[in-house]
Amino acid sequence: KAMLINPYGGSGGDAFPYFFRKAGLGKVIGMRTWGGLVGITGSYSLMSGGAVTAAEFAVWDVVDGKPQWVVENIGVSPDIEVDNRPDLVFKGQDPQLDKAIEVLLDELKRNPVKRPNHPPFRGGGG
């Protein structure tokens, strides 16, 4: 598996690649996410019709044996940095997707899918 990330990914776009990597599911490819993961669960209404919000919770994890705040103001850095340059995207190219395909095809060559052998079919009607 591979995950594509970019600098516009905040909130779930930060959390999902963080936990994807933590679970060891595959390579993270692209550009560092922006690191906006602090959560807001509600707002306070103002007389003007606007609202005020305040950060209420954040994500932490145990890193190197110590509890630490993670992702917020840091983002998730890719394993393989590839920028989707606007000039290439405009031409219909997708350098991040191309790199992910290259990485995954290489992974399949090095670790081909192991297909189990099924037992022999039984004859008979039914």
Side-chain angles (χ1 to χ4, degrees):
K1 296 176 184 71
M3 174 170 286
L4 303 180
I5 61 172
N6 64 54
Y8 309 108
S11 192
D14 276 311
F16 193 59
Y18 180 80
F19 292 114
F20 181 89
R21 173 180 285 139
K22 185 172 175 71
L25 296 177
K27 296 289 185 189
V28 178
I29 299 169
M31 301 299 288
R32 182 179 55 85
T33 62
W34 72 273
L37 196 52
V38 168
I40 299 168
T41 59
S43 62
Y44 301 97
S45 299
L46 301 175
M47 289 174 42
S48 65
V52 174
T53 62
E56 298 179 66
F57 54 90
V59 175
W60 64 274
D61 199 356
V62 176
V63 180
D64 297 327
K66 295 188 234 176
Q68 297 180 25
W69 299 109
V70 294
V71 183
E72 185 64 31
N73 291 324
I74 300 167
V76 176
S77 295
D79 298 310
I80 302 170
E81 188 172 294
V82 179
D83 191 8
N84 259 0
R85 292 182 5 217
D87 62 317
L88 297 177
V89 173
F90 180 77
K91 293 176 185 176
Q93 298 173 26
D94 190 329
Q96 291 176 345
L97 182 59
D98 292 342
K99 185 62 174 180
I101 292 168
E102 174 190 325
V103 166
L104 293 173
L105 288 174
D106 182 57
E107 178 69 22
L108 280 171
K109 283 180 190 169
R110 288 185 290 114
N111 300 301
V113 174
K114 295 178 177 89
R115 299 182 188 268
N117 293 323
H118 61 77
F121 292 109
R122 295 184 195 170

